[in-house]
């Protein structure tokens, strides 16, 4: 039999759920829930640990996970109507099924295949034993393909390729709003070495800023396998075979979203008379036609929708009034994400961790690292295409030559990426700012040392500017200082940041208009602090929300200058909002800005560009609520013998199920900026646990 035919047959077998079950003894798996409902998973083997992860994840987040799988199967439109169908289209446009099938044999090692099978066995077993929780027929059994598609799909979102699609679609697909449950609002990461810490310890701070609800909200866990997977951290609520960030006994890492050039849009040169043909060097090639078959549920009615797209040499292609545009991005190099995170989690020193990074499976995300040997490191990690510097890759790229059609077979080596290890300053950080500003001023990387094609942004965020202001106040830092820096919710002296390069102008705008004179007076007396008790921060929180809505509506992700009239509109909106609902411009921030889950509402700190972060949306009458911002917060401390302590808090709680006691059990801690001590001793985890059981 032809090998390609055999491979296709084998792949079809596992996608149909006819694969062999892994060698899992569920009696070897123990899930211990602590007082906050966080699962601590004990097992004999790593595969059994992964089975336990899947089961516990379903216990806490089965609804969210099913929504994710429905999207990967192209059936989200049946659950979420038009918004879901948009995501179904993305899955079909990028032909994720074909991609995973093509990459599977060369990327998935036997070791990772065992973990994949264990994870899907846990998912499928939970679904089988809880049929009343299954929201859609034929969603299970889940397959290896579903899990690998999940990772690839997530990175189409995180590398911002979905925004490229939205721009080409000309607003006909409301992609940016729809993927709000996936969109990363930003993150903070900090690492401190004994060079700067008062106690001579090494510290790692993880502070992802993500959606408060949805598949990439964080879910906390720990896992302890006798085979070596021994880790405290978090992964995504929507699914994840291994922890995403956290620490083992020796080292830890956290991620932030980076915003360099990870995907390109190519305008094809179409034949003047021969319809459907485009120029590729000296040839005229025919576009391949495809049809996305979507189903949209509107009330009780299911409406079938067909949408045309194409495939060129460059990749998936859409047509608009200006022509045909193709997409190519770094989510499609391979499907090795699980392997890289697994090996990072099992590394015991810097050298092993670096080798794990050389797997090159994670398409984007910076990595900030710390370990028990006093090493700290920050790397602007990504799978960077090898591209010709003579082209302007940030702009629309000519789609008429193989010179611009970079290869999926060649990735820039890890050692050529932007990184800093063990700076003399003793600290490293990233707040979604330029990787050229990540440590003390004399030790930062230089733009000229890297290819132009990397598309490295050189601008900063307000959070990065504020971090530098705070660090300048310290020659040494204690843990209390480290936590206070992360907890800070004041803006820096210079308000301008990447998405709004002229935000400082808002004060001058307020002075220009008579109807904003009272607003101008308030802003001048405001101390730039978004404390819940502040009566002057609320106006700026509302104006900031209005400006952010404008940015999102225009898919304005990078270096934008806001027109004066938009600043004026934002201030008038905030003024009208406060006067209409409260009769005054001075209302405590916590009265208006809330953290909300179910029927529970608590005052919420922070603004769109403060370190302690809050991106809000409108919420009922006279209120706004956090939609993106601080989620899982982690502080890890390392001494010479290993991980000494870990403190965390996780947004609402450990479960997304409203009936769970842990649906909102951490909310009070979160808004008060309190953290819980993570028990590291395995015996004490069991001793203190409030419930222990096997997944059956």
């Amino acid at each position: 039999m032809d090998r390609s035919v055999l491979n296709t047959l084998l792949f079809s077998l596992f996608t149909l759920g006819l694969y062999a079950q892994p060698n899992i003894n569920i009696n070897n798996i123990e899930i211990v829930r602590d007082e906050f409902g966080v699962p601590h998973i004990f097992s004999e083997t790593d595969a059994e640990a992964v089975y336990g992860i899947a089961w516990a994840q379903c216990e806490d987040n089965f609804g969210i996970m099913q929504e994710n799988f429905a999207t990967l199967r192209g059936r989200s439109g049946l659950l979420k109507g038009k918004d879901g169908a948009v995501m179904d289209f993305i899955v079909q446009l990028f032909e994720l099924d074909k991609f995973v099938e093509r990459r599977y044999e060369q990327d998935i090692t036997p070791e990772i295949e065992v973990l994949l099978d264990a994870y899907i066995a846990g998912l499928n077993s939970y679904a089988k034993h809880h049929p009343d929780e299954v929201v859609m027929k034929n969603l299970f059994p889940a397959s290896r393909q579903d899990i690998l598609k999940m990772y690839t799909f997530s990175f189409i979102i995180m590398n911002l390729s979905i925004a490229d699609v939205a721009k080409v679609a000309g607003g006909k697909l409301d992609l940016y709003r729809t993927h709000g449950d996936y969109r990363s609002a930003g993150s903070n990461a900090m690492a401190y070495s004994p060079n700067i810490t008062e106690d001579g310890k090494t510290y790692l701070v993880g502070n992802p800023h993500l959606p408060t609800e949805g598949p990439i909200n964080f879910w906390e866990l720990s896992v302890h396998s006798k085979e070596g997977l021994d880790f405290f951290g978090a992964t995504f609520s929507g699914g994840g075979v291994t922890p995403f960030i956290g620490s083992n006994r020796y080292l830890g890492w956290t991620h932030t979203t980076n915003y360099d050039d990870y995907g390109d849009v190519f305008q094809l040169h179409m034949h003047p008379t021969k319809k459907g043909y485009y120029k590729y060097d000296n040839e005229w090639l025919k576009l391949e036609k495809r049809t996305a078959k979507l189903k949209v549920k509107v009330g009780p009615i299911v409406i079938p929708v067909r949408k045309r797209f194409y495939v060129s040499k460059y990749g998936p292609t859409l047509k608009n009034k200006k022509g045909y545009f193709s997409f190519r991005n770094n989510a499609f190099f391979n499907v090795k994400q699980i392997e890289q995170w697994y090996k990072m989690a099992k590394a015991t020193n810097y050298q092993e961790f670096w080798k794990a990074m050389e797997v090159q499976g994670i398409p984007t995300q910076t990595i900030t690292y710390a370990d028990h040997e006093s090493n700290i490191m920050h790397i602007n990690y990504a799978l960077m295409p090898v591209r010709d510097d003579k082209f302007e890759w940030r702009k629309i790229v000519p789609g008429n030559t193989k010179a611009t059609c970079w290869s999926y077979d060649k990735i820039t080596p890890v050692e050529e990426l932007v990184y800093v290890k063990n700076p003399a300053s003793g600290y490293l950080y990233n707040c979604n700012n330029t990787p050229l500003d990540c440590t003390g001023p004399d030790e930062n990387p230089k733009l000229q040392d890297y290819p132009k094609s990397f598309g490295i942004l050189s601008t900063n965020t307000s959070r990065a500017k504020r971090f530098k202001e705070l660090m300048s106040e310290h020659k040494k830092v204690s843990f209390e200082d480290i936590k206070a820096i992360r907890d800070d919710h004041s803006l820096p002296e210079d308000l301008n940041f990447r998405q709004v390069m002229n935000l400082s102008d808002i004060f001058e705008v307020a002075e220009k208009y008579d109807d904003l004179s009272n607003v101008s007076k308030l802003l001048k007396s405001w101390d730039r602090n978004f404390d819940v008790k502040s009566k002057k921060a609320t106006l700026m929180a509302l104006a900031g929300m209005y400006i952010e809505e404008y940015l999102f509506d225009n898919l304005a992700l990078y270096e934008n200058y806001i027109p004066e009239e938009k600043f004026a509109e934002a201030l008038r909106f905030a003024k009208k909002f406060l006067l209409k609902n409260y009769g005054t411009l001075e209302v405590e921030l916590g009265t208006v800005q809330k953290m909300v889950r179910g029927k529970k509402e608590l005052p919420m700190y922070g603004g769109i560009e403060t370190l302690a972060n809050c991106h809000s949306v409108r919420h009922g009458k006279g209120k706004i609520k956090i939609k993106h911002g601080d989620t899982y917060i982690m502080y890890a401390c390392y001494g010479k013998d290993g991980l000494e302590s870990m403190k965390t808090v996780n947004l609402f709680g450990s479960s997304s199920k409203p009936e769970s006691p842990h649906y909102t059990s951490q909310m009070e801690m979160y808004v008060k900026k309190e953290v819980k001590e993570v028990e590291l001793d395995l015996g004490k985890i069991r001793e203190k646990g409030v419930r222990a059981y096997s997944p059956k």
Side-chain angles (χ1 to χ4, degrees):
M1 181 182 291
D2 181 85
R3 183 172 177 79
S4 63
V5 174
L6 178 61
N7 289 341
T8 300
L9 177 60
L10 290 172
F11 191 85
S12 298
L13 287 175
F14 77 69
T15 62
L16 290 171
L18 300 179
Y19 41 82
Q21 293 296 305
N23 184 21
I24 299 293
N25 183 347
I26 59 174
N27 293 316
N28 289 338
I29 306 168
E30 183 182 28
I31 301 172
V32 178
R33 296 276 182 170
D34 66 21
E35 62 179 309
F36 294 99
V38 175
H40 304 269
I41 299 157
F42 295 82
S43 67
E44 292 292 321
T45 68
D46 290 353
E48 288 168 345
V50 167
Y51 184 103
I53 290 172
W55 184 278
Q57 208 166 26
C58 288
E59 288 182 313
D60 291 337
N61 303 299
F62 198 42
I64 293 174
M65 296 172 76
Q66 289 181 83
E67 289 180 8
N68 219 17
F69 288 125
T71 298
L72 302 173
R73 297 279 185 89
R75 302 174 66 198
S76 186
L78 295 174
L79 279 181
K80 303 179 78 173
K82 179 184 175 182
D83 288 352
V86 169
M87 287 296 140
D88 294 341
F89 176 68
I90 293 297
V91 170
Q92 294 188 47
L93 173 68
F94 284 98
E95 299 187 302
L96 295 189
D97 289 316
K98 291 181 180 179
F99 169 67
V100 170
E101 179 180 351
R102 187 170 66 250
R103 295 296 313 185
Y104 187 88
E105 185 177 4
Q106 57 187 311
D107 290 345
I108 302 302
T109 66
E111 179 183 40
I112 300 305
E113 190 169 74
V114 168
L115 300 182
L116 266 174
D117 286 348
Y119 190 77
I120 59 176
L123 292 177
N124 292 334
S125 179
Y126 186 89
K128 179 181 178 181
H129 287 89
H130 300 84
D132 56 317
E133 294 185 38
V134 176
V135 299
M136 179 182 288
K137 291 182 180 179
N138 302 318
L139 206 54
F140 296 95
S143 70
R144 298 171 184 165
Q145 183 189 38
D146 291 325
I147 307 307
L148 297 175
K149 284 167 61 179
M150 175 183 72
Y151 281 94
T152 302
F153 177 76
S154 295
F155 280 104
I156 296 172
I157 306 293
M158 288 191 281
N159 70 13
L160 300 180
S161 292
I162 193 169
D164 289 336
V165 174
K167 289 176 182 178
V168 170
K172 293 180 181 178
L173 294 174
D174 193 3
L175 291 174
Y176 205 57
R177 182 182 67 81
T178 303
H179 91 286
D181 285 345
Y182 297 83
R183 178 176 58 85
S184 171
S187 299
N188 298 327
M190 299 99 170
Y192 304 86
S193 78
N195 285 12
I196 199 171
T197 58
E198 288 182 354
D199 58 8
K201 307 294 184 182
T202 302
Y203 287 90
L204 175 67
V205 181
N207 178 205
H209 299 162
L210 293 169
T212 56
E213 303 282 5
I216 62 168
N217 188 350
F218 272 123
W219 176 69
E220 187 175 5
L221 74 162
S222 75
V223 56
H224 312 286
S225 158
K226 292 181 180 178
E227 203 170 28
L229 186 59
D230 187 15
F231 200 87
F232 303 85
T235 191
F236 289 137
S237 299
V241 176
T242 63
F244 181 74
I245 62 173
S247 181
N248 62 29
R249 302 287 174 175
Y250 310 98
L251 57 85
W253 75 88
T254 189
H255 293 302
T256 67
T257 299
N258 33 11
Y259 291 92
D260 301 320
D261 192 356
Y262 306 125
D264 298 306
V265 181
F266 305 85
Q267 183 165 17
L268 302 184
H269 180 172
M270 303 306 293
H271 196 283
T273 60
K274 205 170 180 181
K275 188 176 180 180
Y277 281 80
Y278 65 100
K279 190 175 184 180
Y280 192 72
D281 288 331
N282 296 321
E283 299 180 87
W284 291 97
L285 304 179
K286 186 173 177 60
L287 280 171
E288 298 177 34
K289 291 184 179 180
R290 300 280 196 276
T291 301
K293 298 177 181 179
L294 311 170
K295 292 183 178 180
V296 185
K297 190 171 184 180
V298 181
I301 302 172
V302 175
I303 303 173
V305 177
R306 290 173 175 257
K307 182 166 180 61
R308 174 74 72 195
F309 69 96
Y310 307 86
V311 177
S312 72
K313 282 277 189 181
Y314 295 94
T317 303
L318 291 177
K319 179 186 178 184
N320 66 19
K321 291 180 180 179
K322 294 183 178 180
Y324 291 79
F325 296 85
S326 297
F327 309 99
R328 199 171 186 84
N329 68 77
N330 73 346
F332 292 91
F333 277 111
N334 57 55
V335 289
K336 295 181 179 180
Q337 297 95 335
I338 297 170
E339 180 182 356
Q340 181 173 340
W341 268 308
Y342 175 63
K343 289 184 174 178
M344 285 163 59
K346 294 195 72 171
T348 61
N349 55 46
Y350 181 83
Q351 291 73 27
E352 290 178 6
F353 190 85
W354 187 273
K355 189 173 181 180
M357 291 196 299
E358 290 179 329
V359 170
Q360 292 194 288
I362 301 173
T364 65
Q365 298 293 299
T366 75
I367 298 173
T368 302
Y369 165 99
D371 68 27
H372 74 293
E373 295 177 318
S374 304
N375 294 307
I376 59 172
M377 183 268 294
H378 175 75
I379 183 168
N380 194 42
Y381 194 86
L383 307 186
M384 291 304 300
V386 177
R387 295 178 285 206
D388 191 332
D389 270 358
K390 74 179 182 182
F391 294 99
E392 294 289 338
W393 296 98
R394 278 283 186 189
K395 300 179 180 179
I396 300 296
V397 184
N400 59 1
T401 172
K402 63 183 179 183
T404 58
C405 192
W406 47 265
S407 174
Y408 278 127
D409 294 325
K410 191 172 184 181
I411 309 173
T412 300
V414 176
E415 62 268 19
E416 295 180 19
L417 301 177
V418 184
Y419 75 97
V420 174
K421 179 189 177 187
N422 293 336
S425 67
Y427 67 90
L428 290 163
Y429 71 100
N430 184 265
C431 304
N432 306 112
N433 54 299
T434 175
L436 306 175
D437 191 355
C438 64
T439 186
D442 298 329
E443 300 176 275
N444 279 304
K446 303 292 188 292
L447 181 62
Q448 62 266 28
D449 294 336
Y450 302 95
K452 180 183 174 184
S453 64
F454 279 13
I456 296 172
L457 293 174
S458 59
T459 48
N460 259 338
T461 59
S462 292
R463 286 175 284 121
K465 293 176 182 180
R466 181 59 178 162
F467 176 84
K468 292 197 292 181
E469 285 181 355
L470 293 169
M471 286 302 297
S472 69
E473 299 172 5
H474 299 280
K475 291 184 178 180
K476 292 281 186 176
V477 291
S478 64
F479 172 72
E480 290 72 25
D481 296 328
I482 289 168
K483 186 174 183 300
I485 289 169
R486 195 239 62 94
D487 288 346
D488 183 83
H489 39 56
S490 290
L491 290 174
E493 183 66 26
D494 177 8
L495 296 183
N496 301 330
F497 66 103
R498 181 182 300 147
Q499 281 77 22
V500 187
M501 298 286 286
N502 59 333
L503 183 59
S504 293
D505 293 352
I506 199 167
F507 295 98
E508 295 178 12
V509 171
E511 288 182 347
K512 287 185 178 182
Y513 298 91
D514 291 341
D515 66 317
L516 294 175
S517 59
N518 52 352
V519 169
S520 177
K521 183 178 179 181
L522 184 149
L523 288 177
K524 285 179 179 178
S525 62
W526 176 46
D527 62 2
R528 305 189 183 203
N529 190 331
F530 285 87
D531 184 85
V532 291
K533 295 293 185 181
S534 172
K535 291 185 177 182
K536 297 181 179 180
T538 312
L539 187 137
M540 195 61 177
L542 290 163
M545 182 186 72
Y546 188 92
I547 292 167
E548 193 167 49
E549 289 173 353
Y550 167 75
L551 293 173
F552 291 166
D553 287 345
N554 290 276
L555 301 169
L557 306 178
Y558 297 115
E559 296 164 348
N560 311 290
Y561 288 85
I562 304 299
E564 178 180 310
E565 59 268 23
K566 285 298 173 184
F567 281 144
E569 281 180 21
L571 293 173
R572 290 189 179 107
F573 162 78
K575 176 181 176 178
K576 181 179 178 180
F577 184 102
L578 290 170
L579 292 179
K580 178 181 178 181
N581 292 290
Y582 300 96
T584 176
L585 296 183
E586 296 196 33
V587 183
E588 286 190 358
L589 178 62
T591 299
V592 178
Q593 183 166 272
K594 301 292 186 179
M595 181 187 188
V596 181
R597 196 175 220 191
K599 296 180 180 179
K600 195 166 191 175
E601 291 190 2
L602 296 173
M604 182 61 200
Y605 58 76
I608 61 172
E609 265 297 302
T610 54
L611 285 162
N613 194 248
C614 177
H615 297 247
S616 291
V617 295
R618 305 177 199 218
H619 171 60
K621 184 179 179 181
K623 296 178 184 177
I624 60 178
K625 68 174 182 178
I626 181 172
K627 171 68 174 176
H628 298 78
D630 284 350
T631 51
Y632 176 74
I633 302 170
M634 169 189 79
Y635 301 91
C637 172
Y638 304 89
K640 63 180 181 179
D641 295 325
L643 179 66
E644 291 189 349
S645 70
M646 192 165 178
K647 297 175 173 64
T648 66
V649 67
N650 191 25
L651 192 62
F652 302 119
S654 65
S655 177
S656 62
K657 294 181 176 180
E659 65 274 16
S660 169
H662 300 293
Y663 185 60
T664 59
S665 63
Q666 295 183 51
M667 281 180 67
E668 283 86 357
M669 292 174 59
Y670 174 92
V671 297
K672 294 176 182 176
K673 300 177 194 163
E674 297 173 350
V675 290
K676 60 187 186 295
E677 190 76 36
V678 176
E679 181 57 67
L680 304 180
D681 183 276
L682 300 187
K684 290 182 179 178
I685 291 174
R686 285 189 164 106
E687 180 183 319
K688 295 177 180 179
V690 298
R691 183 184 170 214
Y693 57 96
S694 292
K696 55 185 176 181

